[in-house]
Amino acid sequence: MRTVMDVVHRIQWDEDLNPEDFIVGFLDRFDGLVEEDFKYFDWSDVTTVDDWESFCIPKHRVYYFKCKGEVVWDRRTRLDRIFENRDVRCSECQGMTPPG
């Protein structure tokens, strides 16, 4: 199973994926499991980000990614449709060629 940052990089750099289609499910220390738009996050190292300027969380708090409402990566169930067989499996991305 690929890491959170592997998924983030794929969403950011794959021309066939639109970052605006993705939601991130993460564990907030106070509110529990929360969802936010992918674009809401600063994906830099949490130790290098100004908390007042950007929203950054430790990567171990990310539990899942959704694409247009469909879960495509889930750490808890080890679901990985972003890289499964080196092919994207979300219904929106069928037929897309894998990177590399």
Side-chain angles (χ1 to χ4, degrees):
M1 181 169 188
R2 299 290 184 108
T3 67
V4 167
M5 287 311 296
D6 287 337
V7 175
V8 167
H9 291 148
R10 178 84 186 259
I11 294 168
Q12 288 176 325
W13 299 108
D14 192 319
E15 294 176 359
D16 293 323
L17 297 177
N18 181 355
E20 293 180 6
D21 292 339
F22 286 84
I23 298 290
V24 180
F26 66 98
L27 184 63
D28 182 88
R29 291 185 303 160
F30 304 106
D31 297 327
L33 200 54
V34 177
E35 291 185 348
E36 286 290 347
D37 292 334
F38 180 83
K39 293 288 223 170
Y40 182 71
F41 294 87
D42 182 330
W43 293 105
S44 305
D45 186 302
V46 71
T47 61
T48 64
V49 175
D50 180 351
D51 290 339
W52 299 105
E53 304 262 333
S54 302
F55 184 72
C56 187
I57 61 170
K59 307 314 178 262
H60 69 270
R61 291 187 185 267
V62 175
Y63 275 59
Y64 60 85
F65 291 87
K66 288 182 178 179
C67 177
K68 295 199 174 201
E70 179 183 350
V71 176
V72 293
W73 187 93
D74 190 319
R75 182 170 54 121
R76 299 163 298 179
T77 62
R78 300 190 58 80
L79 173 71
D80 185 354
R81 291 192 172 138
I82 296 287
F83 289 97
E84 183 178 79
N85 296 327
R86 294 209 46 152
D87 209 358
V88 173
R89 299 278 185 213
C90 66
S91 58
E92 182 68 22
C93 307
Q94 289 296 336
M96 190 179 97
T97 54

